[in-house]
Amino acid sequence: HLGTAIESDGDARARLTATLVCPGMDEMRRQLRERLDNALGGEVVVTEASTSYEPEWERFATDLVLTTIDPPAHVPGSDRIVRIPPFLSERDVARVADAATRVRRQRRLARLRAEIQKWFVPGAFMRDAPASAPADVIRVLGGALRAEGIIDDAYIDSALERERVSSTAFTESLAVPHAMTMSAERTAIAVAISEHGIDWHGDRVRVVAFVAFSESDRSAFQTVFEQLIDVFADPENARRVARRATDLPTFLTELAALI
């Protein structure tokens, strides 16, 4: 958690680059650039300028594009383009700052999503899981991991035995079945979600994350595991994911956003 806080703080202070598209008088462009630099406190730095009335919008490689002319209606990357007047008001500065915050958030989200994605298996995701007994769900998810060569039948049997010993429902919305050994080829997660819930030994869970543990990945996986538990400790988060996640990519996007 400390590492996450430090990383987020670093992201917040990271300077973003911007292209200023401002055809017309050189003096007006110079003053606008100075106003942007002063008003944004160095968080957004204008590193490029274009004087063309018809620039190649898609070629701008900066984080933001600040323009005094209207961009085309469907230019690629339009979410990073901010239309500004030649003479900035406080409201215009606030809009640029908001755009910078959005870009930083998108970057953090993409980085976090890439970090957690490696633990999930594309072929081991089940949407609208039937309200079956826990053992049936474990067999289906375990079978998906077995098909990927990650675990064997013995691992699935061990997970079933673990479930018989005591419920693996960590919260009222999340169950995390797993074996009593760490014999998987690599640590991986198979997921089943149900918008209506699955009866899990008296709990109504909406997300089932079957975890295949490998001893070699234990420490690296620990943070992801804790975040998974934290997210689904809130039943509203589980309802949101069960409602919105139609496949593994959307599940990962929702999970990263909630983390």
Side-chain angles (χ1 to χ4, degrees), residues 1 13 19 68 133 154 238:
H1 292 299
R13 297 179 182 180
T19 296
T68 59

Side-chain angles (χ1 to χ4, degrees), residues 3-153:
T4 302
I6 292 172
E7 181 181 9
S8 297
D9 185 57
D11 284 341
R13 297 179 182 180
R15 302 195 332 173
L16 300 182
T17 59
T19 296
L20 176 61
V21 179
C22 182
M25 298 173 56
D26 291 342
E27 180 62 20
M28 180 183 68
R29 185 167 48 257
R30 184 189 65 79
Q31 291 180 2
L32 178 57
R33 187 167 183 167
E34 287 182 357
R35 168 71 170 141
L36 286 167
D37 288 342
N38 293 333
L40 296 170
E43 291 190 10
V44 178
V45 179
V46 176
T47 57
E48 298 180 30
S50 172
T51 60
S52 173
Y53 282 94
E54 295 183 355
E56 297 182 68
W57 300 91
E58 66 278 2
R59 294 178 68 101
F60 295 137
T62 51
D63 302 307
L64 294 172
V65 178
L66 312 178
T67 174
T68 59
I69 61 174
D70 292 327
H74 302 292
V75 63
S78 58
D79 57 333
R80 67 190 178 103
I81 299 176
V82 183
R83 177 71 162 85
I84 59 174
F87 302 98
L88 289 179
S89 67
E90 291 300 323
R91 180 176 298 179
D92 300 319
V93 173
R95 289 193 298 108
V96 175
D98 288 344
T101 299
R102 184 174 64 251
V103 168
R104 289 192 182 95
R105 182 181 183 278
Q106 289 171 345
R107 284 184 172 181
R108 288 197 300 271
L109 193 64
R111 186 164 58 248
L112 179 58
R113 190 184 184 285
E115 178 63 27
I116 64 178
Q117 180 175 346
K118 64 185 180 182
W119 304 108
F120 292 84
V121 179
F125 178 88
M126 180 167 54
R127 165 78 187 178
D128 295 327
S132 306
D136 295 331
V137 179
I138 290 172
R139 289 190 183 95
V140 171
L141 294 180
L145 295 180
R146 181 184 57 203
E148 297 289 332
I150 297 171
I151 59 174
D152 55 17
D153 287 333

